[in-house]
Amino acid sequence: GEDVEQSLFLSVREGDSSVINCTYTDSSSTYLYWYKQEPGAGLQLLTYIFSNMDMKQDQRLTVLLNKKDKHLSLRIADTQTGDSAIYFCAENGENTGFQKLVFGTGTRLLVSP
Amino acid sequence: DTAVSQTPKYLVTQMGNDKSIKCEQNLGHDTMYWYKQDSKKFLKIMFSYNNKELIINETVPNRFSPKSPDKAHLNLHINSLELGDSAVYFCASSQDHRGSYEQYFGPGTRLTVT
């Protein structure tokens, strides 16, 4: 079955870079995603990467994918206090053709001034 | 204008009761989803509908019954509520069921069963 693991907490200072890591098990996943959840709110898609890519950059966000090790990371450059939230990685499990997201355990990012 | 809305936002009820949560999206999307997020923030898909047809049905107790009266609505009815049903339930929608389409999440319904 699918399993997606993340470290639970990350604490950084404003202006530093943050790197959130994720490991997944389903090698057939076509897409891998990063979602952000702010307190009391639903999830918001930050970015996603297609499985035949190694890297994707979108403004302050850089996603790295190592398919061999089934490792995904999200780097946030120049982290701001507004980036404090829970970050979930997700894989599109079971390759059914449907978007059946399997979410990681979530990483709580705390950015201090 | 809210893209994906859920009602109610909070629901407190006693064990054994039956309750419903409603979800509406005004994005013209074909696919809708229900997720459950437990107290440890673990998020798991429950159901997905595409054009009013059920396409994903995870191992959810049959006390949970989704209903999609039209493409814009996906409601969740829960019978005989149990303490373990306490969680935040999120509705989401996407343009269609393929992986390249973003899911838009509602604000969540916090269900507390006492």
Side-chain angles (χ1 to χ4, degrees):
Chain A
E2 309 102 353
D3 198 15
V4 183
E5 297 283 340
Q6 299 176 236
S7 50
L8 289 180
F9 297 103
L10 176 64
S11 181
V12 301
R13 299 190 81 90
E14 197 172 20
D16 288 349
S17 290
S18 308
V19 179
I20 302 171
N21 294 302
C22 171
T23 56
Y24 61 98
T25 55
D26 189 347
S27 56
S28 67
S29 289
T30 313
Y31 295 93
L32 294 133
Y33 311 81
W34 283 104
Y35 278 82
K36 176 183 180 184
Q37 184 179 29
E38 296 184 359
L43 278 70
Q44 177 192 4
L45 180 67
L46 287 177
T47 186
Y48 69 89
I49 189 166
F50 191 54
S51 58
N52 67 355
M53 297 169 67
D54 298 323
M55 186 182 90
K56 181 178 180 181
Q57 187 147 4
D58 185 0
Q59 299 182 328
R60 292 192 297 124
L61 305 178
T62 303
V63 178
L64 296 178
L65 175 60
N66 182 328
K67 266 194 93 171
K68 177 174 162 288
D69 295 338
K70 299 195 187 87
H71 183 264
L72 183 73
S73 68
L74 175 70
R75 178 176 180 269
I76 306 173
D78 186 26
T79 315
Q80 303 297 305
T81 53
D83 294 326
S84 293
I86 301 176
Y87 290 80
F88 291 92
C89 68
E91 62 174 353
N92 194 24
E94 290 189 3
N95 198 25
T96 60
F98 301 130
Q99 196 178 138
K100 183 188 160 188
L101 297 187
V102 177
F103 284 90
T105 46
T107 299
R108 190 179 294 271
L109 174 65
L110 179 62
V111 184
S112 50
Chain B
D1 237 3
T2 307
V4 182
S5 59
Q6 296 179 227
T7 51
K9 191 165 172 61
Y10 300 96
L11 184 53
V12 181
T13 189
Q14 290 186 323
M15 281 175 58
N17 285 347
D18 303 338
K19 290 292 176 188
S20 291
I21 307 172
K22 292 180 189 283
C23 177
E24 178 181 1
Q25 53 96 1
N26 62 6
L27 298 165
H29 287 171
D30 284 348
T31 311
M32 296 184 73
Y33 312 80
W34 275 111
Y35 290 89
K36 178 181 179 181
Q37 187 174 45
D38 64 22
S39 57
K40 294 183 178 168
K41 301 296 185 185
F42 185 63
L43 191 69
K44 191 166 167 57
I45 189 165
M46 300 172 71
F47 301 103
S48 176
Y49 271 72
N50 187 61
N51 279 321
K52 302 194 298 171
E53 298 293 325
L54 181 68
I55 57 172
I56 294 173
N57 184 355
E58 284 299 277
T59 48
V60 175
N62 57 16
R63 298 182 296 103
F64 289 78
S65 51
K67 271 214 174 79
S68 182
D70 55 56
K71 272 182 12 173
H73 295 85
L74 181 61
N75 304 323
L76 184 65
H77 188 75
I78 315 169
N79 287 328
S80 303
L81 278 154
E82 300 178 358
L83 293 176
D85 298 333
S86 294
V88 181
Y89 291 84
F90 287 101
C91 176
S93 73
S94 59
Q95 188 169 328
D96 77 14
H97 57 79
R98 287 172 288 178
S100 57
Y101 288 100
E102 176 178 354
Q103 289 191 26
Y104 291 80
F105 281 75
T109 296
R110 183 175 293 275
L111 172 64
T112 303
V113 182
T114 60

